[in-house]
Amino acid sequence: MTPARFGDSRARRIGLLGGSFNPAHAGHRHVADMARRALRLDEVWLMVSPGNPLKPVAGMAPLPERLASARRIADGRRLIATDIERDLGTRFTADTLRVLRRRFPRARFVLVIGADNLVQLPRWRRWREMARDTAIAVLPRPGWTRKALAGRAAHVLARHRQAPGALLTESFAPHAPWCLVPAREHAASATAIRAARAEQHELGERRGP
């Protein structure tokens, strides 16, 4: 199952875990599962980005390849891999959220991010508007969690922090809440996976046929 491009009117609690997924790995699955359970979400969408504006193009696998890797860790029911941003024609998360809220008017969306992205959040386009209008769930990441909680975004949004169980219990007006989901850190990273693949390829070329 994939999200309908033109939306629907079903009432659901949906987590949005966006990224390059270059490739998708067990760490992504771990984050999605922890967020779904802690926030009592109906679905988590793995939104495979056509092109992350904050990441270099060099070394980025084609979208179909990255989408296929996300589908391998999804179950198509509660964890759904999608390239809906390609269909919507959006590149920036703030724009994607605005369109999704319009096309899925009864859905309650939660932006699911790692602690590393909470550190980078002030670099995102219209990040304060996005944090005002959309609940955010932050998952621990090795080497990033303490830095994230001491960073600019956490400081600016400090008074809007809630416990995970309270994230979707009330109206967001005048400002959406955010939370840190208590979960064990998962060491898997796409960068490490790509580096290991490159090393194996290099060793294979040295050994020859």
Side-chain angles (χ1 to χ4, degrees):
M1 185 178 74
T2 59
R5 176 182 176 185
F6 297 105
D8 62 52
S9 58
R10 288 180 292 164
R12 287 170 293 169
R13 297 155 64 104
I14 301 173
L16 302 174
L17 177 57
S20 299
F21 296 95
N22 188 38
H25 52 70
H28 294 125
R29 178 65 187 252
H30 170 76
V31 165
D33 285 342
M34 293 299 101
R36 183 176 59 79
R37 292 170 185 168
L39 306 176
R40 299 187 295 277
L41 301 174
D42 297 302
E43 300 171 3
V44 175
W45 295 357
L46 304 179
M47 293 201 308
V48 184
S49 171
N52 187 330
L54 296 180
K55 289 191 176 182
V57 175
M60 188 66 65
L63 177 58
E65 183 178 324
R66 293 184 285 115
L67 179 61
S69 77
R71 284 176 173 159
R72 284 193 290 271
I73 67 167
D75 62 17
R77 186 170 59 91
R78 292 194 174 186
L79 184 56
I80 300 167
T82 176
D83 59 349
I84 195 170
E85 285 186 300
R86 177 184 63 82
D87 292 333
L88 299 178
T90 57
R91 292 184 65 229
F92 296 97
T93 303
D95 295 329
T96 299
L97 291 168
R98 175 176 50 81
V99 177
L100 288 178
R101 281 194 296 270
R102 186 170 68 243
R103 298 194 181 189
F104 299 85
R106 297 186 64 206
R108 301 196 72 183
F109 291 108
V110 179
L111 187 63
V112 179
I113 63 175
D116 53 330
N117 277 320
L118 183 62
V119 172
Q120 298 176 24
L121 196 61
R123 298 176 58 197
W124 292 23
R125 178 173 290 192
R126 303 199 309 276
W127 76 276
R128 292 198 187 200
E129 171 190 324
M130 183 172 56
R132 182 194 68 211
D133 296 335
T134 308
I136 299 174
V138 180
L139 275 292
R141 284 291 306 275
W144 287 99
T145 306
R146 289 186 179 180
K147 186 186 299 184
L149 294 179
R152 182 185 171 203
H155 176 73
V156 169
L157 301 175
R159 66 192 179 97
H160 304 295
R161 185 175 174 181
Q162 298 282 352
L167 201 69
L168 293 175
T169 57
E170 300 176 2
S171 169
F172 288 171
H175 199 291
W178 70 281
C179 72
L180 177 70
V181 175
R184 66 178 177 83
E185 297 177 343
H186 197 291
S189 80
T191 302
I193 291 171
R194 292 195 303 275
R197 287 179 177 176
E199 183 177 356
Q200 289 176 352
H201 179 71
E202 184 177 346
L203 287 172
E205 286 190 335
R206 288 178 182 174
R207 290 171 181 167

